[in-house]
Amino acid sequence: MLSFITEIPEGIKIGSVHCVPVLDNGDVVMVWDRDEKVLTTIGGRLEPGESIMEGLIREALEKAGIQISDERTLFAAWHWKEFDAYRLFYLVGVRRFVERPEGYETTGYVRMNFDTAIEKIKAIEGREERIEVIRRAGILSGRLAEEAE
């Protein structure tokens, strides 16, 4: 279940962290997961003893070769039933791109505007929670208009 949050609720288990990096021109950066065949947010599981921010920084580097800026806004959490843990989502700025370490499951990053990202996710898999994460990130970054209820 996806929830939009601004603070981490007390007492929940955090299993993974993901980010939605936004470039200065407003483009979003996502990765192609070759195992799952999906366009996805950048992130993964926390390693033992790793803080949320350490995991966020590591995952952005490993999955997309991105050094994220200090601009980091928590905006969503998704309950991962299989592990009874939560995946946190952060809107982040991009400091710079660097060479991505070898041996990770993505085939690299793609950059596009938020509308295109949503359309591509719909065409590839149609997973509503992923669409809603990108939509909310687009709204928070000022790149998508808030839809009327």
Side-chain angles (χ1 to χ4, degrees):
M1 180 172 88
L2 182 64
S3 308
F4 295 114
I5 61 173
T6 56
E7 294 180 4
I8 300 171
E10 287 189 37
I12 68 168
K13 180 181 168 189
I14 308 301
S16 66
V17 291
H18 279 241
C19 64
V20 180
V22 179
L23 301 171
D24 288 341
N25 71 354
D27 281 354
V28 61
V29 181
M30 298 183 73
V31 292
W32 177 256
D33 186 309
R34 72 172 142 217
D35 293 335
E36 294 183 26
K37 306 287 188 243
V38 295
L39 187 62
T40 187
T41 54
I42 297 166
R45 293 185 187 147
L46 291 173
E47 294 180 354
E50 186 173 53
S51 74
I52 291 168
M53 286 302 123
E54 289 168 339
L56 193 64
I57 291 166
R58 178 184 52 77
E59 288 291 344
L61 179 63
E62 288 176 355
K63 299 297 191 310
I66 291 176
Q67 289 181 344
I68 61 176
S69 72
D70 293 334
E71 301 169 49
R72 303 171 192 163
T73 304
L74 174 66
F75 72 95
W78 179 69
H79 185 247
W80 197 356
K81 290 179 190 173
E82 181 181 348
F83 297 99
D84 192 27
Y86 283 81
R87 173 181 294 166
L88 300 179
F89 292 90
Y90 286 82
L91 182 66
V92 302
V94 175
R95 180 170 287 139
R96 68 180 152 263
F97 287 89
V98 297
E99 191 169 329
R100 187 171 57 89
E102 295 287 326
Y104 294 93
E105 70 271 15
T106 57
T107 56
Y109 67 86
V110 294
R111 51 190 282 187
M112 64 196 84
N113 65 42
F114 279 92
D115 287 319
T116 300
I118 290 168
E119 290 304 314
K120 291 293 182 190
I121 295 166
K122 285 179 182 177
I124 294 167
E125 64 168 332
R127 208 162 134 194
E128 284 300 317
E129 66 270 8
R130 196 174 334 266
I131 293 166
E132 288 309 310
V133 163
I134 297 302
R135 186 182 325 280
R136 180 57 62 117
I139 292 167
L140 290 174
S141 68
R143 297 299 172 169
L144 290 178
E146 182 93 40
E147 293 181 1
E149 297 292 322

